[in-house]
Amino acid sequence: MEKIIRQLRQSDHFLLVSHVNPDGDAIASLIAMALALEKWGKRTTMYNESPIPAVYRFLPAVDRIVRRIETPSAYDAVVILDCSNIERIGRLSADFGQFSLTVNIDHHLTNTGYGDFCHVDTAACSTAEIVYRMIQMIGIALDREIATAIYTGILTDTGSFRFANTNRTAFSICLDLMENGVDPYTVAQHVYGTYSIGRIKLLNLALDSIEITEDGKLSFMMLTREMLEETGTQPEDVDGMINYAKSIKDVKVAVLIQELFRSDTERDKNRFYVSLRSDGSVDVAALASSFGGGGHHRAAGFSAETSLADLKGGILAWIDNSERGICRN
Ligand code: 5GP
Ligand code: MN
């Protein structure tokens, strides 16, 4: 962290980037880092390839996040937040070679260690927690806007302080954030209390799609493109739904399969996004990695172009064969 701070001090113009289809932590880390660097007298550009989900559009400076970068080489440093591999930033990863200096700040178990400088803390509940610690170390004063962004990152990545990554630091940082003006009720209202009716209807379809294996240890939730069309919802509206599949008694691994689009060329192949959650007895980061994705021990994801039957079969086979396979113990 000290080496990174020394490097940041020497740079003036920053490009800040986080992962495609951003969650609360990816957006919050981006904004908190940008606002803090600006208070330090730096110039920043925030980039994310995907649209920002409606529930996060209340965040300060969110309208400054751009979806296109004209000259990737124009920045003194590129700070990549919450991305376990460089491909997670999306199309811009093709310009990686043009970046003058890259800094990788993350908390994912599967982080590949890319970049000139790298700080990966898998004990951190969120990337926002790491950004908070960095701001403290530099000595930049918090304000309500920075604090609100960091709070949103911690709140969402800990599943409202319910997931296993909810640590002592999370609570102690949040106390400090409240003392700097954060109103937890207002943030919760924006993030969890402004859903469209379509999202609730989609939840209904998602709940109805849940299937569990005979031994009750594995649950599947399925969302098709038709379900999103029927309810007038976007992929961002699926966020959090897998937790219902995971919340069933005795379920050890929950799998959410989301259909992205049909292949035009091969009629039986589809493109899917798969979300995985585990109670800790199965390392879903390893499962996701074996399909080209990544994440944490208890929460991970990947994309795949295959048939639904092959996808389900592949996931079941991996769990059966894995040493910690839930079907064996
Ligand atoms: P979610 O299921 O909420 O989309 O993702 C769960 C976790 O896995 C998040 O920490 C997310 O960053 C990570 N993750 C999801 N999809 C991918 C992927 O395709 N590649 C990598 N490396 N990580 C992913
Ligand atoms: Mn995160």
Side-chain angles (χ1 to χ4, degrees):
M1 187 93 97
E2 274 160 17
K3 269 196 210 157
I4 291 177
I5 292 173
R6 216 173 302 141
Q7 207 59 47
L8 298 185
R9 195 183 297 277
Q10 287 167 18
S11 308
D12 169 53
H13 197 186
F14 289 86
L15 175 62
L16 308 171
V17 185
S18 61
H19 62 79
V20 296
N21 304 319
D23 53 16
D25 191 30
I27 300 160
S29 306
L30 195 63
I31 291 173
M33 192 76 192
L35 296 181
L37 287 174
E38 282 162 19
K39 275 190 118 176
W40 206 23
K42 312 291 187 185
R43 287 184 293 154
T44 69
T45 297
M46 292 184 274
Y47 171 88
N48 194 290
E49 177 176 299
S50 312
I52 304 302
V55 297
Y56 299 120
R57 282 190 216 131
F58 75 99
L59 284 167
V62 72
D63 292 333
R64 286 178 35 207
I65 301 174
V66 297
R67 296 177 67 184
R68 254 187 86 87
I69 293 294
E70 297 298 335
T71 323
S73 58
Y75 304 88
D76 303 329
V78 181
V79 181
I80 299 158
L81 298 147
D82 205 39
C83 293
S84 58
N85 56 56
I86 189 65
E87 291 73 29
R88 289 283 284 154
I89 70 175
R91 284 188 300 274
L92 191 63
S93 64
D95 298 325
F96 188 62
Q98 290 185 51
F99 297 154
S100 14
L101 180 102
T102 47
V103 181
N104 161 5
I105 297 174
D106 186 30
H107 70 133
H108 289 94
L109 189 67
T110 54
N111 193 289
T112 57
Y114 63 87
D116 300 309
F117 293 88
C118 164
H119 182 86
V120 179
D121 180 356
T122 57
C125 70
S126 56
T127 300
E129 175 188 326
I130 306 174
V131 171
Y132 170 90
R133 282 197 263 117
M134 187 169 277
I135 292 171
Q136 296 294 97
M137 270 182 82
I138 299 173
I140 302 165
L142 287 174
D143 56 34
R144 187 208 296 260
E145 296 196 324
I146 297 174
T148 299
I150 295 170
Y151 180 81
T152 303
I154 294 177
L155 177 74
T156 55
D157 245 33
T158 59
S160 306
F161 308 102
R162 288 175 301 142
F163 299 156
N165 60 345
T166 307
N167 54 16
R168 195 179 178 285
T169 326
F171 286 106
S172 91
I173 292 174
C174 287
L175 175 61
D176 189 27
L177 299 175
M178 276 194 79
E179 280 164 356
N180 280 281
V182 171
D183 177 13
Y185 175 72
T186 303
V187 175
Q189 266 306 106
H190 283 292
V191 177
Y192 303 116
T194 58
Y195 294 161
S196 66
I197 181 70
R199 184 169 176 150
I200 301 301
K201 302 277 184 200
L202 182 69
L203 173 62
N204 186 35
L205 298 176
L207 295 176
D208 205 34
S209 78
I210 294 176
E211 288 172 6
I212 61 173
T213 49
E214 219 166 295
D215 61 10
K217 292 179 179 172
L218 193 60
S219 64
F220 282 96
M221 181 183 259
M222 176 78 203
L223 282 169
T224 61
R225 273 187 341 152
E226 283 82 13
M227 292 178 185
L228 271 76
E229 276 161 22
E230 189 185 323
T231 53
T233 48
Q234 308 296 318
E236 66 185 60
D237 292 311
V238 175
D239 195 34
M241 291 191 183
I242 190 175
N243 296 318
Y244 288 97
K246 177 62 197 47
S247 66
I248 302 164
K249 186 169 179 292
D250 297 331
V251 162
K252 293 184 176 295
V253 176
V255 181
L256 166 61
I257 300 178
Q258 191 181 340
E259 182 189 40
L260 297 181
F261 53 80
R262 289 247 154 79
S263 164
D264 294 331
T265 45
E266 292 171 80
R267 294 190 70 225
D268 63 328
K269 277 196 177 174
N270 289 5
R271 188 152 182 86
F272 297 103
Y273 178 71
V274 179
S275 275
L276 300 161
R277 297 293 184 271
S278 138
D279 67 347
S281 60
V282 173
D283 180 4
V284 289
L287 169 52
S289 296
S290 78
F291 286 88
H296 309 282
H297 190 85
R298 292 167 187 257
F302 67 91
S303 303
E305 197 154 330
T306 176
S307 72
L308 185 57
D310 285 353
L311 182 61
K312 275 190 167 181
I315 294 168
L316 280 165
W318 188 95
I319 292 172
D320 269 340
N321 294 334
S322 85
E323 256 182 69
R324 310 173 70 150
I326 51 171
C327 300
R328 288 193 205 158
N329 49 37

